[in-house]
């Protein structure tokens, strides 16, 4: 099948020897999304409107700062984001302030509930996460399309090391809307075989890693277990930054 701008990243990821090719795709999307936020777009009104309303989760706020790509741009984004959010906060306070001064428990409780919703939204929303989610949904569409149309890609999946559990769940969930009933049945069986085999492989590796600390196995080969712990972690919770 002739490669296109959409299929090349997917083919490249699934050609890589790794525990989850979808993690590689997501990591690349995440990096590009962070760079976009810190690039010239940080001065664009449309970008600022989005970041003012949504903000960033803890993980991506940390990454934006640690990249040191554009600390000035980040400070300006934070400036208008804080102003926007504090304006919303003050509106909630003003709405309930009169009732609170009257010392009624009901009015105080309503304000606390509304503030709780405000804080929960602020904590859970993230413009970088939104960009990643949008792009990854497109990648899943490409994966199913290639699986359906390209026999070589289908074999590439079957010969891979499977996926992390988070992306395996997403792969199955999105498959319901992308594959016919018959192909969905075949797909789920193939993916179950793939994941079962590779979870057994991971388990063997991490068990042998632990057994190597037994003095009786001191001179035995590590086999493929030397990096078993980080690979097992990534298999269960998706890609991590260990450095």
């Amino acid at each position: 099948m002739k490669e296109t701008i959409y299929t090349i990243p997917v083919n490249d990821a699934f050609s890589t020897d790794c525990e989850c090719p979808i993690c590689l795709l997501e990591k690349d999307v995440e990096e590009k999304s962070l760079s976009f936020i810190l690039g010239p777009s940080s001065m664009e009104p449309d970008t600022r409107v989005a970041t003012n309303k949504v903000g960033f989760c803890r993980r991506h706020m940390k990454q934006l700062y640690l990249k040191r790509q554009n600390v000035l741009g980040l400070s300006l984004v934070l400036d208008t984001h804080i102003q926007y959010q504090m304006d919303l906060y003050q509106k909630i306070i003003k709405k309930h302030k009169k009732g609170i001064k009257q010392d009624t428990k009901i009015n105080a409780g309503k304000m606390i509930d509304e503030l709780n919703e405000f804080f929960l939204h602020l904590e859970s929303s993230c413009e970088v996460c939104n960009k990643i989610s949008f792009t990854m949904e497109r990648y899943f569409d490409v994966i199913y399309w290639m699986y359906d149309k390209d026999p070589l890609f289908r074999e590439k999946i079957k010969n891979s090391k499977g996926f992390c559990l988070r992306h395996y769940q997403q792969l199955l969930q999105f498959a319901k809307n992308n594959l016919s009933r018959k192909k969905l049945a075949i797909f789920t069986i193939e993916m179950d075989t793939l994941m079962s085999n590779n979870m057994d492989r991971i388990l063997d590796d991490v068990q042998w890693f632990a057994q190597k600390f037994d003095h009786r196995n001191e001179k035995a080969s590590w086999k493929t277990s030397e990096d078993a712990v980080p690979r097992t972690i990534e298999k269960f919770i998706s890609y991590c930054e260990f450095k």
Side-chain angles (χ1 to χ4, degrees):
M1 177 180 288
K2 184 178 180 180
E3 288 196 307
T4 68
I5 191 173
Y6 305 105
T7 62
I8 289 174
V10 174
N11 254 325
D12 287 347
F14 278 83
S15 298
T16 305
D17 182 19
C18 62
E19 293 298 339
C20 180
I22 300 179
C23 278
L24 295 184
L25 288 170
E26 187 174 80
K27 190 173 183 179
D28 180 64
V29 173
E30 181 179 59
E31 184 65 27
K32 289 176 179 176
S33 298
L34 292 167
S35 294
F36 175 83
I37 294 294
L38 293 174
S41 68
S42 63
M43 302 299 179
E44 296 293 328
D46 289 348
T47 300
R48 294 287 276 279
V49 167
T51 56
N52 287 347
K53 290 182 178 180
V54 180
F56 308 99
C57 65
R58 183 185 302 181
R59 168 185 169 83
H60 290 132
M61 185 72 83
K62 176 183 176 181
Q63 288 183 316
L64 285 166
Y65 177 72
L66 292 179
K67 278 179 71 67
R68 304 284 182 171
Q69 178 179 323
N70 182 2
V71 180
L72 172 59
L74 179 58
S75 70
L76 296 174
V77 168
L78 293 175
D79 178 14
T80 53
H81 171 59
I82 292 171
Q83 290 185 54
Y84 181 89
Q85 295 299 330
M86 287 306 297
D87 183 56
L88 294 179
Y89 172 82
Q90 292 297 338
K91 286 179 180 178
I92 296 173
I93 298 297
K94 185 177 180 181
K95 177 180 174 182
H96 297 281
K97 197 169 186 179
K98 185 177 179 180
I100 293 175
K101 285 184 176 180
Q102 294 174 353
D103 196 27
T104 63
K105 184 176 181 180
I106 294 176
N107 284 315
K110 286 181 178 179
M111 187 194 76
I112 291 171
D113 289 342
E114 200 165 336
L115 284 175
N116 188 51
E117 290 183 12
F118 167 77
F119 290 129
L120 287 175
H121 172 75
L122 193 59
E123 182 180 359
S124 62
S125 62
C126 175
E127 180 62 11
V128 176
C129 287
N130 289 348
K131 289 183 178 297
I132 293 172
S133 178
F134 176 83
T135 305
M136 289 307 297
E137 285 188 22
R138 307 290 83 75
Y139 272 139
F140 277 113
D141 290 340
V142 174
I143 290 170
Y144 301 125
W145 183 81
M146 292 175 69
Y147 173 86
D148 188 29
K149 305 294 184 182
D150 188 351
L152 292 178
F153 181 72
R154 198 176 306 130
E155 287 301 310
K156 190 174 289 187
I157 294 180
K158 291 165 69 173
N159 293 326
S160 72
K161 291 182 176 179
F163 312 96
C164 70
L165 296 186
R166 181 169 68 89
H167 284 133
Y168 180 46
Q169 179 270 327
Q170 292 177 358
L171 191 70
L172 294 177
Q173 186 63 33
F174 283 119
K176 292 194 300 182
N177 299 322
N178 284 272
L179 297 174
S180 68
R181 187 173 180 178
K182 181 177 180 180
K183 289 177 179 176
L184 179 61
I186 296 172
F187 179 79
T188 54
I189 291 172
E190 289 180 351
M191 293 305 101
D192 172 62
T193 300
L194 175 67
M195 287 298 293
S196 295
N197 290 340
N198 279 284
M199 292 305 290
D200 286 343
R201 172 183 56 82
I202 284 286
L203 179 59
D204 288 343
D205 279 351
V206 78
Q207 286 181 338
W208 181 243
F209 179 89
Q211 291 172 27
K212 267 290 292 174
F213 288 86
D214 187 321
H215 70 278
R216 292 170 294 183
N217 298 319
E218 183 179 356
K219 295 183 179 179
S221 168
W222 282 94
K223 303 178 184 178
T224 58
S225 72
E226 285 189 276
D227 60 346
V229 172
R231 284 192 292 107
T232 302
I233 293 171
E234 290 187 341
K235 205 69 168 176
F236 271 81
I237 65 170
S238 198
Y239 68 91
C240 303
E241 296 169 350
F242 294 106
K243 295 181 180 180

